[in-house]
Amino acid sequence: MSGGPGAPPLLVAQFSDLHLRAPGLTANRIVETNMLAARAFAAFAALAPAPDALVITGDLADRGEAEAYRLLAGLIERHVRVPVILIPGNHDDRAAMRATLGDRLAADDEAGVNRPAERLPVRFLPLDSTIGGESHGRLGDGQLRFLRDRLAADPRPAAILLHHPPIATGIAHMDAIGLENAAALEAAIAPHAARVAGLWCGHVHRMIHGRIAGAPVVIAPSVAHQVRFDLTPDGPSALVLEPPAFVMHRWDGASFTSQMVFVDSYPGPFPFLS
């Protein structure tokens, strides 16, 4: 498997915030999220070199509809031949995820909904930060215990996955619905920070980098619509149709580098000329 000494780098693609709907319906009455997700999966399948895994950091569906999860299952079946790790976001319905994607998930009462990828050289630790009926997130005692135990028990580098970011982004209306007990997460990570290679999130629909307990945080953009870039304290909640994108994480055996990849095509490449 990629990522060991002398081996090719480990490549992990991160999708986030698909907001799939039942067929024929749009998100926010304007965004054709099903079409955009199909484009993202087609772009994933065309990547060369091919990724070693795909993680999706929440808001798989926009309203927790079973039809949306069936659509996702079909996209994975058609386009993905590597381990897939799925975690819920605040728009998801965990019961519907398990009922519809059960053959692709390992349900763990403490770790939320996930499919582990144990053969990879980096350990993935999925957390469920959702609170039923709420937009903000919180990690329960079981989640934090799961994280502490796994970090203490396994010497491999770890990538922690959750939907709600534990850092402030400056986008006020999104920070108001972030992870409310980020300090507890930081305390759980701190004794093991050297082995936390990354903490990957979604929710904000923008590419944002930060740190917690010394560990790098990457917030992925959406493969559908983005949240408007607005750092004013009273900026309104609004979406924009900026280009859909995802993140490619590259593990070289010591650390991750993370790059944003646009889903759609664009002019080029053109050679640099002197």
Side-chain angles (χ1 to χ4, degrees):
M1 180 56 67
S2 302
L10 172 74
L11 300 176
V12 182
Q14 179 189 0
F15 285 9
S16 200
D17 297 275
L18 282 64
H19 288 270
L20 294 168
R21 294 297 316 274
L25 299 178
T26 58
N28 296 288
R29 301 185 181 181
I30 190 172
V31 187
E32 296 281 355
T33 51
N34 295 1
M35 174 192 69
L36 293 167
R39 289 182 182 178
F41 275 93
F44 173 90
L47 289 169
D52 298 290
L54 171 66
V55 303
I56 307 181
T57 46
D59 283 357
L60 315 179
D62 190 60
R63 301 192 182 186
E65 298 157 314
E67 297 93 333
Y69 297 121
R70 284 195 286 269
L71 175 61
L72 176 58
L75 290 169
I76 293 171
E77 183 67 29
R78 287 193 295 275
H79 295 293
V80 184
R81 299 292 180 268
V82 295
V84 180
I85 304 172
L86 309 174
I87 62 171
N90 52 288
H91 281 257
D92 287 308
D93 183 298
R94 282 171 287 186
M97 284 180 67
R98 289 192 176 100
T100 311
L101 296 163
D103 60 337
R104 293 192 170 275
L105 303 174
D108 181 321
D109 289 341
E110 293 187 348
V113 184
N114 70 83
R115 179 178 178 177
E118 291 298 332
R119 294 179 297 122
L120 300 179
V122 175
R123 183 169 176 80
F124 292 89
L125 301 177
L127 302 176
D128 184 350
S129 58
T130 63
I131 307 169
E134 300 290 344
S135 296
H136 66 282
R138 181 177 181 83
L139 292 172
D141 292 342
Q143 296 283 285
L144 293 167
R145 183 170 58 252
F146 164 85
L147 178 61
R148 288 192 299 267
D149 290 349
R150 297 306 189 275
L151 288 175
D154 195 321
R156 282 181 295 167
I160 299 169
L161 314 175
L162 75 162
H163 183 64
H164 296 86
I167 59 172
T169 67
I171 302 175
H173 65 91
M174 295 305 300
D175 288 343
I177 55 171
L179 187 71
E180 68 176 17
N181 62 337
L185 174 61
E186 184 171 15
I189 292 172
H192 313 284
R195 72 177 57 166
V196 177
L199 194 149
W200 303 345
C201 316
H203 191 52
V204 185
H205 292 233
R206 297 205 68 84
M207 182 75 172
I208 300 172
H209 291 230
R211 300 188 79 82
I212 181 172
V217 176
V218 176
I219 304 173
S222 169
V223 298
H225 50 283
Q226 311 307 327
V227 164
R228 181 187 179 193
F229 175 70
D230 186 345
L231 300 181
T232 58
D234 58 351
S237 175
L239 66 88
V240 291
L241 298 180
E242 292 179 10
F246 59 95
V247 180
M248 182 65 75
H249 302 281
R250 180 183 182 273
W251 174 257
D252 64 5
S255 62
F256 276 111
T257 55
S258 302
Q259 302 184 44
M260 185 170 71
V261 181
F262 291 112
V263 169
D264 294 324
S265 60
Y266 39 81
F270 306 107
F272 289 105
L273 300 177
S274 58

